[in-house]
Amino acid sequence: YILTVLERDSTTPARLSVDGDLHLQLSTGALQVQARDGINLDAGAALAVHSASVLLHSTHACLTTKTLQVSGERADSYWLQRHDTALHAHQYVQVHTAEFGDSRRRVEGHEDLYAGSVSQQVKNDWQLRGETLDLLADITVALDGQRINLG
């Protein structure tokens, strides 16, 4: 069999065919697979990879799947640019902290904010504009400043 593979016509692809399971085991060293024109892997119904560490270097990567579940103890992500698009996005976070150099948010429709308490601190100026502005309080509305202009 080995001589048939080695002495074959160069236009005929080499093929190793085995009935049943195949187990490769290296008692020492590493397994290295190289292919000039790429590697295609068809794992059938399932692919399982077990390793203490996985490293992937690629110029371009594309992952397409119907469902993706990712879990772990920590996730770090570093990008020069990042664009996220989703029809619906839901986040459930115990504590959320975000720090921005500049921030802009545009909501085309309606936005609701429900909180037990809201505190905003602005270093320089704060503007609130709208066709109609309502400030409602059950107990007290306080305006405090050296100069208050109404009208």
Side-chain angles (χ1 to χ4, degrees), residues 80-94:
L80 291 178
Q81 289 187 21
R82 183 180 137 177
H83 303 274
D84 295 322
T85 303
L87 183 59
H88 298 281
H90 302 277
Q91 291 181 331
Y92 299 98
V93 180
Q94 189 69 30

Side-chain angles (χ1 to χ4, degrees), residues 6 16 45 57 72 78 86 92 109 114:
L6 294 176
L16 171 63
H57 290 281
Y78 304 97
Y92 299 98
Y114 295 98

Side-chain angles (χ1 to χ4, degrees), residues 29-40:
L31 176 64
Q32 184 175 5
V33 178
Q34 289 181 307
R36 185 194 72 192
D37 297 328
I39 297 174
N40 291 318

Side-chain angles (χ1 to χ4, degrees), residues 61-141:
C62 180
L63 170 66
T64 302
T65 183
K66 184 175 181 181
T67 302
L68 177 64
Q69 180 179 343
V70 179
S71 62
E73 293 182 17
R74 179 184 173 129
D76 295 313
S77 179
Y78 304 97
W79 303 101
L80 291 178
Q81 289 187 21
R82 183 180 137 177
H83 303 274
D84 295 322
T85 303
L87 183 59
H88 298 281
H90 302 277
Q91 291 181 331
Y92 299 98
V93 180
Q94 189 69 30
V95 176
H96 179 256
T97 302
E99 297 180 21
F100 303 103
D102 285 313
S103 175
R104 288 163 185 80
R105 183 172 70 193
R106 178 184 301 260
V107 179
E108 293 295 328
H110 179 76
E111 181 177 37
D112 284 328
L113 170 65
Y114 295 98
S117 176
V118 175
S119 174
Q120 292 182 337
Q121 296 179 0
V122 178
K123 183 178 178 182
N124 293 323
D125 61 291
W126 184 65
Q127 295 180 9
L128 182 61
R129 294 180 183 197
E131 184 177 311
T132 302
L133 298 175
D134 295 326
L135 183 59
L136 307 172
D138 290 335
I139 299 173
T140 303
V141 173

